[in-house]
Amino acid sequence: MTTVEPIRKIEDIKKVECFLAKKNQRDLLMFTLGTNCGLRISDIVALNVEDVRDKTYIQIIEKKTGKYKKFPINSKLKPMLAEYIKGKNDDDALFTTIFQNRVDRFAAYHIIKDACKAAGLEEKVGTHTMRKTFGYHHYRKFKDVAMLQKIFNHSSPQITLRYIGIEQDKIDESYVNFIL
């Protein structure tokens, strides 16, 4: 089974953001939202303008789990969202195509894959890369696997660590540092 990876280097995240900033505001916001909140792409593309306008929290029912999720909109996302939704109606989809259709997860996959390729990333990427990137950096910053397990609704800390690539990082490190 091939699985996508998180973006482990902050400078690589910045490269992707820089590429997307030159491309368009929608794609940059979608990527930034994904890497800053850890939502699945199905939940990101389901957002409407009213879910973020004048809000301090995003509140959703997760598509996959059916569970309620509430999290604060951070200081990076708040101004991006405010600028992006200017002139949009509350009942509009947050992310739309040029034909005003809701962006779907397949389109989001191509946006993320193309941006990562253009930024020179070699990781295997997909839409879950954003969620895993959030988890990877959240763990590196706070070292709180229990909190991350709760954020992701995982059943065990081991699943969370494997999901965000920490388990593989530790295996790789042990090989690199083991020399006879």
Side-chain angles (χ1 to χ4, degrees):
M1 176 176 101
T2 56
T3 184
V4 301
E5 296 291 322
I7 302 172
R8 289 176 171 83
K9 297 178 186 170
I10 297 291
E11 58 266 24
D12 286 343
I13 295 169
K14 299 286 183 217
K15 287 178 189 174
V16 174
E17 289 174 340
C18 185
F19 171 80
L20 291 171
K22 292 174 187 168
K23 187 177 176 210
N24 69 53
Q25 189 181 19
R26 179 201 68 190
D27 296 353
L28 175 61
L29 178 60
M30 185 171 34
F31 178 78
T32 306
L33 186 61
T35 57
N36 278 263
C37 71
L39 288 179
R40 290 177 186 87
I41 195 63
S42 57
D43 294 320
I44 292 171
V45 298
L47 290 170
N48 289 330
V49 171
E50 66 188 343
D51 296 324
V52 299
R53 177 171 277 141
D54 301 323
K55 301 281 190 337
T56 54
Y57 286 86
I58 292 177
Q59 300 178 69
I60 63 165
I61 301 297
E62 292 180 320
K63 297 245 183 252
K64 181 176 180 180
T65 65
K67 294 180 180 177
Y68 172 78
K69 184 176 196 80
K70 176 183 176 182
F71 59 91
I73 301 171
N74 72 23
S75 60
K76 182 174 184 175
L77 288 170
K78 197 170 270 293
M80 291 177 77
L81 285 164
E83 179 64 28
Y84 179 73
I85 63 174
K86 281 182 183 173
K88 296 181 188 281
N89 296 319
D90 279 353
D91 60 348
D92 289 346
L94 188 58
F95 300 108
T96 58
T97 67
I98 58 171
F99 304 108
Q100 297 308 306
N101 299 319
R102 189 178 294 273
V103 170
D104 63 21
R105 61 190 183 91
F106 301 107
Y109 166 77
H110 289 290
I111 290 164
I112 301 310
K113 188 172 187 263
D114 294 347
C116 290
K117 183 178 180 181
L121 274 65
E122 295 182 10
E123 293 91 339
K124 179 153 176 48
V125 298
T127 55
H128 251 49
T129 294
M130 297 182 296
R131 181 172 159 90
K132 289 183 177 194
T133 298
F134 165 84
Y136 182 85
H137 289 282
H138 190 283
Y139 178 77
R140 303 293 288 190
K141 182 172 185 171
F142 298 112
K143 300 286 193 239
D144 189 346
V145 70
M147 177 60 67
L148 200 51
Q149 176 188 344
K150 188 171 182 77
I151 289 169
F152 282 156
N153 284 317
H154 285 163
S155 59
S156 75
Q158 294 79 12
I159 289 171
T160 301
L161 291 173
R162 188 174 346 115
Y163 179 78
I164 62 174
I166 295 294
E167 206 171 70
Q168 187 62 50
D169 281 358
K170 288 182 179 182
I171 291 169
D172 293 351
E173 186 180 335
S174 73
Y175 271 99
V176 169
N177 292 317
F178 180 79
I179 300 170
L180 288 176

